[in-house]
Amino acid sequence: MKTFNKIFLTLGVAASAFGLSSCVGDLDMQPVDPSEITDVSNNMDEVFADIYLNFATSGANGSSPVHTLDDGGMATFGRAMFTAEEMPTDEACWLWDPEKFGRINYGYVTPDLPIVKGIYARLLINIALCNDFITSVRGGKFNLDDAGQARAEEYVRQARILRGACYYYVLSFYENPPYADETTPIGADPEQPGRAQVYANVTSDLEDVVAYYKANPTTTYYGFVGLDAAESILAKIYLNGMVFAGRDDYAKCYEHSKAVIDRLGVGGKYGNGLAPTYAALFGANNSKYCIGNAGDAVSEIIWTIPASKENVNGNITENLTTWAGSTFMIAAWNGANGVFATVPCPTTNAAYKNAKPEELLFTDADGVQHIYKYFESADDAYNEAKASYDEAAGGDTWKITVAKFFNGVAYSFDPKEAAHTTGEWINATESWKCMVARKSFVRKFDWSDVEMSKSDDSRVANWRTSEYGFTAENPSLVGDDWGKNGYLAMKYTNWIYDANGEIDFDASANVPMTACYGGDFVALRLAEVYLMAAEAILQGGGGSQAEALKYVNYLRQRAYGDKYTPWASLSMSELQDERCRELYTENNRRTDLIRWNKWCTGYTWEWKGGVASGTNLPEYTKSFPLPSGVMTTTNLQQQKGY
């Protein structure tokens, strides 16, 4: 996948060949193969690529850097952050593996859980890799000419940005966070200087990077981070200043958010820098909306974690695949249940015989025409329809009853199954049946019926609702009840989207439907920056109410399309709900609820605190514990309450 993968494909060396600096503790970090290359003085690019690789993938079971986890996916960056930010909240839950996840669905964890180790390990390993690289460059460990030195300094700035992104989550997850930077001696334990001091260190470092880029404009290439990522991450940290450090830094949040908006908030369908449709942001070719690779004149995706799986002349090319990222976001929600592709009773009328080859249609019982399938002739279309119908009619009769047209294809539903879905609807087959949404979250969207089955809000277009037999109720959070205990809140798909943000079925036919998928994982986008600016304004950080309203209406305009009606005013509660709708499952929710004082009290959702109707959580749950293994091998202090 372009320049990014060219670097990744040269891997075979780990930054740990230098000896990982502090931070890791008893995490059983396993390098790729440190004995393979011991002298990396001529391999700076490969060592640097390892930093990015550890945000993108950890490999399958057995090849994770945290090798004592029996599920390597648990310690991948996007997946670990999702587990921490989404599963304990109203937005999502995990239906299986209580021995790994414990009671995280209820907002509780204990230090001995594998997932607690996975979350901590991923953050601290990535920080250690960044620290090591910075130390190596500044210590002259690479053989560099002048051009190489200039490249090294740019790599260092990017490492500082990625380190800052990790520290954003460290600050959110730990009331007394561990901290180490490039000055920490190799082998030393991280320090715990206090949350406010870590906040000050991280924001100061990112401010320095932002200032450099503004004084020295630098091109950001696809897959890499630069000024916009640095400034957006800085704004995210400042937005949470009261929680992280007891500081009202809404003015700084607004300042940096506004700077990003001024640079990126132009062009595209709506003239505000947003992609043409919400669905296209989470499709197989969403890289077109990334900074450095904008294929639609907009760069809404500010920080992307790339993936690449392509069908080239019938051959599957796996440049960068992962069991995290978009693969996780598709497969964990996805299911295949009680659905059969069928055709209506075939006819020889104009639906086949008089149609042009490129627009073969059939008419359903309501008189609506649908694209059936592309054939070279109408006769071919009729013959295939007749054969398929006869085959289905010879078995279960329900297979010849059209229950749903989806993307121009007719499907029937097995009446023995309560819930109906198939991976074909999102052009994917990997199906885990691992997650469902909670009713309190579902109710935040505008539904056109009391059953909450249909909505004009395109952000729920790929959901599986009561229209498909699913229930919004959550009588349990266990896997055996999948299909009967929550909606499927899917937003990633494996479709290719065209320049208008609509599905390109021809192009999608060449996208592999199995195993790892090719869409990038969206780590941070312009829509979030608009929401940060709006919240900072409402908190007195600058700007105007009219400006905040404008930013939120930008998002609603795209969400509702032709049925969009602008809001005339904006309250904090409305902003909070709109942020939930726009950014759901994008690894923000737990931090948001804590910032709004709704994590422990003030708002309940299904199974919060382990009670079906929800109950309050104790204050100590605002922090995750440090893993048991870290506590037994370091001098770090455990978090309060554990």
Side-chain angles (χ1 to χ4, degrees), residues 299-354:
S299 299
E300 179 171 352
I301 302 175
I302 295 171
W303 176 24
T304 188
I305 299 179
S308 176
K309 181 171 184 177
E310 302 167 294
N311 187 331
V312 181
N313 298 323
N315 297 314
I316 305 302
T317 301
E318 298 184 351
N319 289 327
L320 180 62
T321 59
T322 177
W323 290 105
S326 58
T327 297
F328 172 75
M329 294 302 296
I330 289 174
W333 289 104
N334 190 25
N337 205 63
V339 177
F340 184 82
T342 187
V343 293
C345 182
T347 176
T348 58
N349 67 14
Y352 293 110
K353 291 298 183 183
N354 297 332

Side-chain angles (χ1 to χ4, degrees), residues 79-100:
R79 189 164 165 181
M81 298 309 101
F82 182 94
T83 300
E85 284 282 7
E86 304 293 347
M87 290 182 192
T89 74
D90 55 344
E91 291 190 359
C93 66
W94 189 258
L95 302 179
W96 303 96
D97 308 314
E99 71 283 358
K100 298 177 183 177

Side-chain angles (χ1 to χ4, degrees), residues 194-237:
R195 205 179 199 181
Q197 186 59 54
V198 175
Y199 175 89
N201 293 350
V202 175
T203 53
S204 175
D205 190 51
L206 287 174
E207 287 279 13
D208 185 65
V209 172
V210 168
Y212 174 88
Y213 280 132
K214 288 184 175 180
N216 303 273
T218 304
T219 300
T220 301
Y221 295 97
Y222 165 66
F224 295 88
V225 293
L227 171 60
D228 295 299
E231 198 152 26
S232 299
I233 293 166
L234 187 55
K236 280 172 71 85
I237 298 173

Side-chain angles (χ1 to χ4, degrees), residues 36-54:
E36 201 171 285
I37 299 179
T38 57
D39 179 4
V40 294
S41 59
N42 295 315
N43 298 90
M44 179 186 68
D45 292 324
E46 289 87 339
V47 174
F48 177 64
D50 202 37
I51 296 174
Y52 277 99
L53 184 68
N54 273 272

Side-chain angles (χ1 to χ4, degrees), residues 465-518:
T465 66
S466 58
E467 179 181 4
Y468 305 95
F470 290 87
T471 174
E473 304 293 334
N474 308 109
S476 75
L477 299 182
V478 297
D480 289 339
D481 293 334
W482 182 94
K484 300 184 282 263
N485 63 347
Y487 280 1
L488 309 187
M490 296 187 291
K491 66 194 294 182
Y492 280 81
T493 74
N494 201 36
W495 293 114
I496 294 287
Y497 290 85
D498 63 21
N500 296 316
E502 304 298 329
I503 296 174
D504 184 331
F505 293 103
D506 287 341
S508 296
N510 295 318
V511 177
M513 291 180 63
T514 58
C516 299
Y517 304 113

